[in-house]
Amino acid sequence: MVDTLLFDVDGTLADTERDGHRPAFNAAFREFGLDWTWDVALYGELLAVTGGKERIRYYVERDRPDYRKPAHFDQLVVDLHKAKTAHYTRMLATGGIPLRPGVRRLLGEARAAGYTLAIVTTTTPDNVTALLRHSLAPDGPDWFSVIAAGDIVPAKKPAPDIYQWAMARLGVDAGRCLAFEDSENGLRSALAAGVRTLVTVNDYTRAHDFSGALAVLSDLGEPHAPYVRLDAAGAGERGVCDLARLRAWL
Ligand code: XBP
Ligand code: MG
C-alpha cells in the first residue's frame, strides 16, 4: 500500500530551471565579473549534470577551454554558487514562480487523506523552503515530513542515494512510496532506489527516455485543463491526476 509521496522539486513542482535557476546563475556570473552567459538552449544541455556546483564545473570543462582557473577555483565555485542561491531565493520572494498545474491540488488532497509527503531533490535546501513558502503556502515547508536536499548525500541523482536517505529518514520501504519526477536523471535515481515513479514532463525533458515510469504525463492536470498521457501504454488519454487515479495505476 502506497502512503508516502516523494516529490522532486525543479521541473516537477514548478518550472524553476529556465526562468529561475538559469537567470540566477547568470546574475552570479555577472556579479563576479565573468563573461559566462547560459542561454535557454545551452542550459538545457547543462542540465545533464545535476547540482549547481557540479554544473558550473561541467560548463568550465566543456565550454570554456579558454578560461584559466585561478588557484582558488574550488572556493570560487562555492562562492559563485552561494551568490546564485541568494539571487534565486530573492527571485522567489519577489516575483515568485508558480507551481505547475495540479501540484497544489494533489498535495492538498494527499495531505487531507493522511499521506506522508516528502521532498527529494538535488537542489539547495534554501531554494526548497523559499519555493514552498512563497509558491505553496507560508507554512508550505511544514507540509513535508522530510526535506532531502542538496549536498546531504555526495552522489546526486541519477544515483539512488538521496531517495535512500529520504526513505531511511521517514522509516519507510520503497514499496510504500511513489515518486514524482520530471527528468531522466530523476527517474533513474528513484527507480534505482526501487521506488515506482510518475513522470510529468516539461520543455527541457520531453524527449528524455522515461522507460520504467509508472506513467508519463504532460502535467498533473486540472479539471479545466486535463493532463495528456504521453507513454505508449495510455497515449492520448486525458484526465486529472488525483489519488484515485494514482491508486488505479499502482
Ligand atoms: C535539480 C538540479 C539542481 C538545480 C539547481 O535536479 O539539478 O542542481 O538545477 O539547484 P532535480 P542548485 O530536479 O533532479 O533534483 O544550484 O541549488 O544545485
Ligand atoms: Mg527535476
Side-chain angles (χ1 to χ4, degrees), residues 48 67 92 175 188 223:
Y67 176 68
L92 288 177
R188 295 292 148 236

Side-chain angles (χ1 to χ4, degrees), residues 4 6 39 42 48 80 106-107 146 158 161 176 184 194-195 234 238:
T4 305
L6 309 177
D39 64 26
L42 170 64
L80 265 174
L106 182 63
L107 288 174
V146 163
D161 304 37
R176 282 174 56 185
E184 188 173 346
V195 182
R238 287 165 190 272

